[in-house]
Amino acid sequence: MVVVDGIVIGPQHCAYDGCTADLANGHGGVFCAFHESAYGESCRVHHCQNIKESDTQVCHQHQQEWSKHKFNQNQKTLSGIKRVLQWPGEQMPWQPNIARDVQAHDVPTPDVQQKNYFSASHFYCVETICAPCGVVIAWTKFDRAESSTNILEFLEAVYPTEDSRPDYVCIDKACMVLRSSISNRSWETWKKTTRFIVDSYHYINHCKTDFLCHKWCNPAPLDGSAPNLVVGATGKNGEVYYKQAFNTQACEQLNAWLGGFESILKRMTPSNFNWFLHTVLFYHTVHVIEKQT
């Protein structure tokens, strides 16, 4: 078995549509070197061919949009300073009493059309493949979303042949990945070697009326359809009970640890981000293996 999951964290990259290259200027820049040369003097509003005015990033026609953007950025900076100055858990009078709309990694990302190039883009999340013991097998970055298509492409890149593929792939959205695999016909090869299952933490929240999920993605079926996922054990009083054979929370546990590096990772260039993350994951894996020996 391998466990797959993502964490919403990622560095900045070029804001131009479809480009994920490093920024030419990591301190306030929005384009890579190529697109900075091609569009650096143009108005930053989409489809505007005018030359931007001095000391701004837009032409005369779009000055109102630029002023609004600068005002919003100043408000975010002020709010950040106020949060630093307050005590943990303290609710100040100037804070609105509303729930924050935080995008979770296992929620589909809305496809919002970008209207300007005022700010650099971000990679959406880091996706990892772990063994149940915690050893990191592979990782990658997803630019726009943790979609089923991206997950399948990642798995196919790591396991290109049938002989290399695991018996079970455990992921929080296994039923969605399975549906996508059936739709794009990649399931014709995956079904020969692998079964997609939902991790135990997320499975309890999946709809009971979803037949495909509960029939094929159950992490602990008791009908004998997957005897390798459930093993018998004996309690202190001699009673026999069933338990899961694998740790399906390996990636969740890894993500909880990676979250501690978010404040420095999100400020790195993609190349520095890749080097730092690969290094800490390597040392993490060495530590996990040493604990097992």
Side-chain angles (χ1 to χ4, degrees):
M1 176 187 285
V2 297
V3 186
V4 184
D5 200 7
I7 178 173
V8 179
I9 186 175
Q12 292 181 329
H13 63 77
C14 179
Y16 195 80
D17 295 337
C19 182
T20 58
D22 288 17
L23 297 175
N25 177 13
H27 299 279
V30 298
F31 289 134
C32 62
F34 175 80
H35 290 112
E36 181 66 34
S37 176
Y39 303 102
E41 298 302 321
S42 302
C43 177
R44 296 290 173 83
V45 175
H46 272 209
H47 310 301
C48 181
Q49 304 299 322
N50 298 329
I51 301 299
K52 63 184 181 183
E53 294 187 346
S54 59
D55 299 327
T56 70
Q57 299 298 330
V58 294
C59 63
H60 177 74
Q61 179 183 353
H62 297 107
Q63 286 296 319
Q64 184 175 358
E65 295 180 35
W66 175 246
S67 298
K68 182 179 179 181
H69 169 75
K70 290 180 63 178
F71 175 79
N72 291 336
Q73 290 300 110
N74 291 336
Q75 289 297 105
K76 289 180 181 179
T77 302
L78 180 60
S79 297
I81 294 174
K82 288 180 176 179
R83 284 197 299 271
V84 170
L85 295 177
Q86 73 182 90
W87 290 94
E90 183 181 19
Q91 183 70 23
M92 303 300 293
W94 43 263
Q95 289 181 307
N97 189 20
I98 56 176
R100 295 186 180 274
D101 185 15
V102 179
Q103 176 68 29
H105 76 271
D106 51 358
V107 175
T109 308
D111 189 10
V112 179
Q113 185 66 32
Q114 192 173 3
K115 297 181 180 180
N116 55 61
Y117 297 127
F118 291 165
S119 302
S121 299
H122 281 81
F123 285 96
Y124 175 67
C125 71
V126 169
E127 197 80 3
T128 54
I129 299 178
C130 293
C133 62
V135 168
V136 181
I137 298 171
W139 70 273
T140 190
K141 301 190 301 289
F142 289 162
D143 182 24
R144 295 182 61 83
E146 191 189 28
S147 65
S148 300
T149 302
N150 287 340
I151 293 169
L152 284 170
E153 290 177 352
F154 179 36
L155 288 170
E156 289 170 359
V158 177
Y159 304 106
T161 63
E162 293 184 9
D163 293 339
S164 65
R165 291 178 175 177
D167 296 324
Y168 298 97
V169 173
C170 180
I171 185 170
D172 52 9
K173 52 180 70 176
C175 45
M176 295 173 58
V177 174
L178 177 57
R179 286 188 175 89
S180 296
S181 181
I182 294 172
S183 299
N184 64 22
R185 299 185 181 277
S186 62
W187 181 241
E188 295 300 320
T189 56
W190 277 106
K191 69 180 181 181
K192 299 176 183 178
T193 59
T194 307
R195 180 169 175 173
F196 296 113
I197 63 172
V198 181
D199 67 276
S200 57
Y201 176 77
H202 288 87
Y203 183 74
I204 58 176
N205 295 322
H206 283 222
C207 183
K208 293 183 179 180
T209 58
D210 188 343
F211 175 79
L212 183 142
C213 178
H214 286 265
K215 175 65 177 179
W216 301 107
C217 302
N218 190 338
L222 297 178
D223 58 0
S225 59
N228 292 328
L229 295 179
V230 183
V231 296
T234 304
K236 295 181 179 180
N237 298 324
E239 73 279 6
V240 178
Y241 65 96
Y242 293 101
K243 67 177 184 179
Q244 292 182 328
F246 300 99
N247 173 25
T248 62
Q249 302 301 308
C251 279
E252 293 283 354
Q253 294 160 356
L254 174 66
N255 289 343
W257 177 71
L258 282 179
F261 298 98
E262 180 183 5
S263 61
I264 56 176
L265 283 170
K266 68 182 181 181
R267 291 176 172 83
M268 293 183 178
T269 63
S271 55
N272 288 345
F273 180 97
N274 293 344
W275 180 88
F276 181 85
L277 186 62
H278 195 83
T279 301
V280 297
L281 289 178
F282 172 79
Y283 280 109
H284 170 79
T285 298
V286 170
H287 176 68
V288 170
I289 294 175
E290 287 178 347
K291 289 177 64 178
Q292 298 174 5
T293 57

